Amino acid sequence: MHLRSLTLRHFRNVGFSTLDFSGQRHFLAGANGQGKTNLLEAAGFLTALRSFRATDNRVLVGHGQTTAAITCQLEHERFGDTHVIIKLRHEGKELWCDQARGTRLADHLGKFPTVVFSSQDLQLVRGPPTGRRRWLDLTLAAMDAAYLHALQRFTRALAGRNALLKSGRAVDKELDAFEQILAPAATELITLRAAGLQALGASLRTAYAQLCDSGEPADLKYDPDFEEPSVELLLARLEAGRARDAQFRTTLLGPHRDDFRFTVRGTEAKNFASEGQQRSLVLALRLAQAAWFQEKSGVRPVLLADDVLGELDPARRRRFWSAIDPQSQVIATGTGRPDAALGEWQVFEVASGEFTEKADNQGLKG
């Protein structure tokens, strides 16, 4: 898939701007806070109608505005020339694809894959489980409608059970009603997460070997809160834990407490890997995500690299670019221009939400 043009209207700090992309590699250069990441955020919105930075879509609509819009012209492996419009309002969003309005998110999933490489990705190794679970949910749901449906059912049932526990008036009959929905959805999530992380782990091992010494094997390990994907066993555990859950006024067992961890040479990367190894791990994770998206969708993702190149030493930077599929479209950002050794780039300078293509797009070290 190639993004041929992108138009933003009232999206964050971008009042109105159109970028026409030519070639395979595009670079947005400018000082911090000018709108470079906002454009990547808009391009990434294509995949699952979600932001990789924010959970509340209201922050995406420009200050003082009631609506925002993202318009994309795509060259697509499966659909040919495709026109997509996403309209954002404070109270919701709508999708139009080739003048037909989309009515279900599940019908959209898997069609327009993008993968974001962000400097914030280090938190996937170093940070709390919440960030890793969110990344896993977004990744798996972006390609699998069954995962999205299971996650929605589980989230609703969990919210209902927790509200009942918080009220202090929970009775077994009411708890049982939520648990009958929660347990099947939870066991489906456990099964799909285990399979997804196994596939992603295999690709991560390959990508990490390309980025680093192949003598440093890396891996992903799933740490489910409840290991046995059995509805009956989970129902029994939930029932047995009702008194404790009532005491703490929340559900203490289930996939909402899952985690996964990175390892290098069999040791915990969070505690024992160097900063260089940790950066390589998250880059390998994103490369694995891109490979998995392509395998699941049959569409080569657009790669969005947000200020990650300048944080790599020259050797890792060269290995990173050699690990990327040469046919993939890349849109990258940075405060300077890309290294000329990385090839020819289409360069846009960014200032105060405005994007200006530079006629001389020879790379300069930045």
Side-chain angles (χ1 to χ4, degrees):
M1 181 176 77
H2 279 72
L3 185 60
R4 289 310 179 201
S5 72
L6 177 64
T7 299
L8 304 185
R9 180 173 59 83
H10 301 319
F11 186 89
R12 289 201 184 259
N13 76 326
V14 183
F16 182 85
S17 192
T18 296
L19 284 76
D20 293 315
F21 298 113
S22 59
Q24 296 284 106
R25 293 182 176 180
H26 324 279
F27 199 89
L28 312 178
N32 292 328
Q34 301 304 303
K36 305 186 302 293
T37 302
N38 295 343
L39 186 128
L40 295 193
E41 182 179 29
F45 211 83
L46 263 175
T47 301
L49 304 186
R50 289 175 179 266
S51 164
F52 68 83
R53 302 163 69 195
T55 56
D56 185 352
N57 287 337
R58 288 177 295 184
V59 304
L60 306 180
V61 179
H63 181 69
Q65 304 296 324
T66 58
T67 62
I70 305 165
T71 302
C72 306
Q73 191 69 41
L74 299 154
E75 183 182 311
H76 200 280
E77 289 103 314
R78 290 164 51 193
F79 310 130
D81 291 338
T82 306
H83 187 245
V84 177
I85 300 175
I86 301 166
K87 297 180 180 179
L88 301 170
R89 300 184 178 86
H90 289 170
E91 68 279 5
K93 59 201 168 192
E94 61 184 70
L95 168 76
W96 294 80
C97 184
D98 289 335
Q99 300 183 333
R101 182 172 179 176
T103 57
R104 296 195 318 148
L105 176 59
D107 295 334
H108 176 75
L109 296 178
K111 291 183 176 180
F112 306 106
T114 62
V115 174
V116 180
F117 297 76
S118 170
S119 58
Q120 299 303 310
D121 285 347
L122 269 179
Q123 290 305 307
L124 292 172
V125 176
R126 299 175 178 175
T130 304
R132 287 186 287 276
R133 281 195 300 270
R134 183 171 189 267
W135 175 85
L136 185 60
D137 284 338
L138 288 173
T139 297
L140 299 185
M143 292 292 124
D144 187 349
Y147 187 90
L148 175 64
H149 291 152
L151 182 63
Q152 290 172 333
R153 294 196 309 275
F154 174 79
T155 301
R156 287 193 293 265
L158 179 66
R161 190 178 191 272
N162 283 344
L164 196 57
L165 292 167
K166 285 182 174 65
S167 73
R169 299 187 298 274
V171 297
D172 287 348
K173 184 176 180 181
E174 292 173 319
L175 289 170
D176 184 68
F178 286 114
E179 290 164 7
Q180 292 297 324
I181 301 170
L182 187 148
T187 55
E188 188 174 358
L189 286 181
I190 294 167
T191 300
L192 293 173
R193 283 177 177 176
L197 283 170
Q198 183 177 18
L200 287 162
S203 293
L204 177 134
R205 290 192 292 273
T206 300
Y208 188 84
Q210 292 177 288
L211 296 172
C212 301
D213 186 342
S214 58
E216 292 184 357
D219 209 349
L220 291 177
K221 301 292 184 182
Y222 181 31
D223 287 333
D225 185 58
F226 182 77
E227 294 190 24
E228 184 64 42
S230 163
V231 175
E232 292 76 16
L233 289 176
L234 182 53
L235 283 170
R237 286 283 301 278
L238 287 168
E239 183 177 355
R242 286 174 182 174
R244 186 182 65 158
D245 289 354
Q247 179 182 357
F248 286 92
R249 299 197 172 194
T250 192
T251 302
L252 297 173
L253 176 71
H256 58 295
R257 300 171 67 88
D258 280 358
D259 198 0
F260 67 89
R261 53 193 169 90
F262 298 83
T263 63
V264 176
R265 292 181 176 172
T267 62
E268 189 85 20
K270 180 177 182 178
N271 298 320
F272 299 106
S274 69
E275 179 167 335
Q277 288 171 323
Q278 291 180 352
R279 290 190 185 280
S280 295
L281 276 170
V282 293
L283 289 175
L285 181 69
R286 293 299 192 177
L287 290 170
Q289 181 183 353
W292 189 76
F293 275 6
Q294 186 170 350
E295 178 185 346
K296 297 290 288 185
S297 69
V299 179
R300 182 175 285 105
V302 174
L303 307 182
L304 309 171
D306 188 26
D307 200 22
V308 296
L309 304 183
E311 297 174 347
L312 301 176
D313 61 57
R316 292 181 193 272
R317 192 181 305 153
R318 287 192 298 270
R319 289 183 175 187
F320 171 69
W321 287 115
S322 66
I324 284 181
D325 182 343
Q327 297 185 60
S328 294
Q329 182 181 23
V330 180
I331 306 174
T333 72
T335 53
R337 296 202 190 181
D339 193 323
L342 298 177
E344 185 176 343
W345 293 78
Q346 180 187 24
V347 176
F348 296 86
E349 288 193 352
V350 187
S352 301
E354 296 186 359
F355 300 80
T356 304
E357 184 178 358
K358 305 308 292 181
D360 177 10
N361 286 329
Q362 293 299 314
L364 301 173
K365 285 191 176 182

